[in-house]
Amino acid sequence: QVQFVESGGGLVQPGGSLRLSCAASGIIFNGYVMGWYRHPPGKARELVGLIQTDGDSTYYTDSVKGRFTISKDNAKNMMYLQMNSLKPEDSAVYYCNVPQYAAQNTYWGQGTQVTVSS
């Protein structure tokens, strides 16, 4: 089955950094897009950014541009989210998924909690 396992979250101070990891199984990183999503408390899930698995092109939502960086290791079926200059409004459960699956509201993993607070 397709499965995504997120890790690396935690509690950080405003201005701090975290690196999240996404381990994918049941799919191969080749020829499609992968995405990072987040679900802040009391708000709807939103797209954070995207990366091509057969290239390195990326997309980021305006609120994280210049602060977050997506990367991947195709041989390991791993995707990463480097988060710098974190703000309290970045606090959320972070998930990875394929956009088509996300649109179908399926294959969500357990997510990893990121809390930015002083």
Side-chain angles (χ1 to χ4, degrees):
Q1 67 171 1
V2 176
Q3 185 175 16
F4 303 104
V5 179
E6 301 90 348
S7 62
L11 174 65
V12 296
Q13 298 275 351
S17 297
L18 279 175
R19 180 178 168 89
L20 307 184
S21 297
C22 167
S25 60
I27 61 171
I28 300 173
F29 280 13
N30 184 24
Y32 58 92
V33 171
M34 284 286 294
W36 280 102
Y37 301 80
R38 65 186 180 186
H39 190 179
K43 300 178 68 176
R45 169 177 48 79
E46 66 179 349
L47 176 67
V48 175
L50 301 167
I51 190 167
Q52 290 186 311
T53 56
D54 62 348
D56 293 313
S57 295
T58 54
Y59 161 84
Y60 303 95
T61 192
D62 286 346
S63 63
V64 309
K65 285 180 180 176
R67 300 188 298 120
F68 290 11
T69 303
I70 300 173
S71 60
K72 41 81 176 183
D73 185 334
N74 288 6
K76 296 180 178 180
N77 261 32
M78 295 286 291
M79 183 174 64
Y80 308 95
L81 181 66
Q82 178 67 47
M83 305 184 294
N84 299 326
S85 302
L86 283 161
K87 305 174 180 179
E89 52 263 44
D90 295 318
S91 297
V93 180
Y94 282 71
Y95 302 89
C96 56
N97 209 342
V98 175
Q100 186 173 11
Y101 294 155
Q104 297 170 346
N105 203 28
T106 190
Y107 293 123
W108 295 108
Q110 81 283 0
T112 186
Q113 176 71 53
V114 172
T115 303
V116 185
S117 177
S118 59

